[in-house]
Amino acid sequence: MKLLDTLNQDMKEAMRNKEKQRLSVIRSVKASLQNESIKLGKEITDEEALSVLSREMKQRKESLHEFEQANRSDLVEKTKLEIELLEEYMPAQLSDEELQQIVDETIQETGAGSKAQMGKVMGAIMPKVKGRADGTRVKQMVEQNLS
């Protein structure tokens, strides 16, 4: 089932159950997907939808960090719940072992041997792990392997 269909179904269910927070998150994601579709001038694919979801997740994680720094516990709780709700639509995250294997394989494929070639390695890894691993986590692992 396409992500948009799932979101529509979940939105109806959230309306029936009067789940305001869930409904708000779903509407926000649907709006982002719609904006992306308009920007591209066509209906978006599941892969493009995954990119939008990843962007939404990243924004919320950055907001969470800022709210924690500002001691805004009310906003921290709200943002944590939004992240949990978004995670339901994201693909399963890679374990450290799986990610390490992908990093090792990609370093071998690219022939990188120093941190100077990190951009080359990151450019090759990110499409492989799209939506299944956070970019900062991947970056840290690549840095460890290349140092």
Side-chain angles (χ1 to χ4, degrees):
M1 181 183 283
K2 291 187 78 156
L3 178 64
L4 203 53
D5 296 336
T6 305
L7 286 169
N8 284 328
Q9 196 68 29
D10 289 352
M11 187 170 82
K12 290 175 189 173
E13 193 175 306
M15 280 190 238
R16 274 190 224 111
N17 298 335
K18 295 181 173 44
E19 298 174 85
K20 291 181 182 178
Q21 184 77 23
R22 180 182 212 78
L23 186 59
S24 172
V25 170
I26 292 171
R27 283 181 172 157
S28 170
V29 170
K30 280 189 64 172
S32 295
L33 291 170
Q34 188 69 30
N35 288 340
E36 188 73 12
S37 179
I38 291 168
K39 185 175 122 184
L40 295 173
K42 64 179 179 75
E43 192 172 318
I44 61 174
T45 64
D46 278 343
E47 188 174 314
E48 293 163 338
L50 183 59
S51 295
V52 172
L53 265 180
S54 297
R55 188 170 46 228
E56 289 287 314
M57 181 70 83
K58 183 178 179 182
Q59 287 174 349
R60 282 172 174 80
K61 285 182 179 179
E62 288 171 356
S63 296
L64 179 64
H65 179 70
E66 293 298 320
F67 294 148
E68 287 172 341
Q69 296 291 319
N71 291 325
R72 293 291 308 267
S73 59
D74 56 329
L75 294 175
V76 166
E77 291 305 313
K78 180 179 181 268
T79 308
K80 280 183 181 178
L81 181 60
E82 288 179 6
I83 290 171
E84 285 176 26
L85 292 170
L86 272 177
E87 284 174 344
E88 293 176 20
Y89 302 103
M90 297 289 289
Q93 295 293 296
L94 292 170
S95 69
D96 285 340
E97 294 80 29
E98 292 170 324
L99 184 56
Q100 185 63 53
Q101 183 179 354
I102 291 171
V103 168
D104 290 341
E105 289 171 3
T106 307
I107 288 174
Q108 295 242 331
E109 288 170 13
T110 59
S114 68
K115 281 190 176 182
Q117 296 168 317
M118 188 163 163
K120 182 178 176 183
V121 176
M122 289 296 292
I125 288 179
M126 291 313 289
K128 294 179 184 178
V129 299
K130 190 172 198 111
R132 299 183 303 149
D134 184 48
T136 54
R137 193 171 139 218
V138 174
K139 180 180 176 239
Q140 290 170 345
M141 216 169 258
V142 170
E143 280 180 341
Q144 287 173 352
N145 284 24
L146 290 179
S147 59

